[in-house]
Every structure is written in structure tokens, then in C-alpha cells.
Amino acid sequence: SHPSRVDGDGATTKDSKETSYRRLAFRKRNAKPNKSLERQMARKETKRLEHAVAASDAQEILHVHAAGLVEAEHDMEKTVQLTQQKLKREFLEEVNARNIYDLELDAGNGPYKLAYDRSGKFSLLAGRGRQGHVAVVDQHTLALQTEFYVKEPIRDACFLHDGSMMALAQERK
């Protein structure tokens, strides 16, 4: 039904009118911008740049490129005489000093595994000793929420979806 012709190399092509229409339709389709796709790509690029800036800011603030150390102000000062309590009293701001606390844990129940829930509000301490000591501490108030002994060594511990449920892994028998 459509007239065809043979080119010089022996290939058969459709009528020139039909091929020019197809070329025109192809050009229109490719020239027409996809606004939705362009917006989506622009949003992704913006987010990528925001994350890159945030990561570089975090590196600058946290000083991840250098290890922390205490430097003496003059040659006669000894840094070995500096204690945690002295650092807390004299050099830290009140807000940061409140976050320092001592945990007195029974050595017979250690070593301990420490895990936090997703929000960071609760911490889970699990002792690997023979008694299997488990404790949940509210990190905002530093109040003990619960504490018990499972009377078996604990291999691992973690919070489930929130701070109200936990999972403990005990040894195989």
C-alpha cells in the first residue's frame, strides 16, 4: 500500500513523505522538555549538594582529620596531673559537664555491651559475665529504667523499634 523505493545500496525505504513525518515527530518528541523529570532531577541535585555541605561542616566541627590531645601551656606543666574531674570542673561548660557521669559496674559481670535506641534517649547495658546483667538507662535524666539478671552470659543486646522493647542473645546450649 505504501510506495517503496530502492536506494543505491539496495536497501528499501518508505516514501520520503512518511520518513520526513517520522523525523519531525521524533524531533518534536525529543525537543519537548519533560518538566516533571527536570524538577525531580533539580531536587535531587539540590539535596546532594546540601548533604555534601552538611558532611563537610560536620568534618570541620568534629575535627575528624586530627586526633584529640591535651597540650600543656608551658614546659613546667604536666598533663598527667590532669584528671577527668578537673577537666569537668574547670574547663567544660555547664551543659557539657552535666553529660559526664560515672558508671560503677560489677567487674564480675563484664565486659559490657552498650547500645542506644534510635532516638538516643535510652541506653541498654548488657553484661557478658556469668550473671547476665541487663540495665536500661534514660540518657536524658540518667535515671535507671529497669535492671535485671538473666543468670546466663549475654552475647549481644539491642533495642527493637523503640526504647520499650529489647532483644538479648544468649549462648547456645
Side-chain angles (χ1 to χ4, degrees):
S1 67
H2 294 288
S4 300
R5 65 184 156 164
V6 178
D7 288 343
D9 60 354
T12 306
T13 60
K14 297 276 184 185
D15 185 60
S16 63
K17 189 176 187 181
E18 187 176 331
T19 56
S20 64
Y21 173 75
R22 286 185 178 180
R23 274 187 296 220
L24 181 65
F26 180 74
R27 271 192 240 125
K28 279 184 180 179
R29 193 169 45 243
N30 287 343
K32 187 177 177 182
N34 187 341
K35 299 290 185 185
S36 174
L37 181 62
E38 286 177 5
R39 281 193 305 270
Q40 186 180 15
M41 295 297 285
R43 267 188 259 125
K44 285 188 179 197
E45 181 65 16
T46 303
K47 279 188 179 183
R48 188 187 68 77
L49 291 173
E50 286 173 357
H51 289 297
V53 168
S56 68
D57 288 347
Q59 279 187 333
E60 185 66 31
I61 291 169
L62 298 176
H63 304 291
V64 295
H65 55 277
L69 60 115
V70 177
E71 293 181 11
E73 289 182 5
H74 46 79
D75 293 337
M76 297 303 291
E77 186 178 27
K78 303 286 187 201
T79 58
V80 293
Q81 297 168 345
L82 190 61
T83 64
Q84 292 289 324
Q85 291 301 320
K86 189 174 181 182
L87 273 173
K88 184 177 175 177
R89 280 193 313 268
E90 297 177 14
F91 298 106
L92 288 178
E93 295 176 12
E94 177 75 27
V95 175
N96 296 331
R98 264 188 271 138
N99 291 330
I100 297 174
Y101 57 92
D102 289 327
L103 285 176
E104 294 181 16
L105 302 170
D106 185 21
N109 291 319
Y112 278 84
K113 161 101 174 149
L114 177 68
Y116 291 93
D117 71 336
R118 288 183 185 176
S119 68
K121 181 173 172 143
F122 297 103
S123 66
L124 173 64
L125 285 162
R128 292 182 161 202
R130 286 177 283 142
Q131 293 295 316
H133 180 225
V134 178
V136 176
V137 178
D138 183 341
Q139 290 296 302
H140 294 190
T141 62
L142 298 179
L144 183 65
Q145 296 295 310
T146 186
E147 180 180 32
F148 57 91
Y149 292 88
V150 293
K151 296 188 176 63
E152 290 183 33
I154 298 171
R155 297 175 73 84
D156 198 9
C158 67
F159 281 108
L160 297 178
H161 54 84
D162 63 4
S164 66
M165 296 176 69
M166 69 183 104
L168 303 173
Q170 296 172 318
E171 289 190 18
R172 294 181 192 156
K173 289 191 176 193

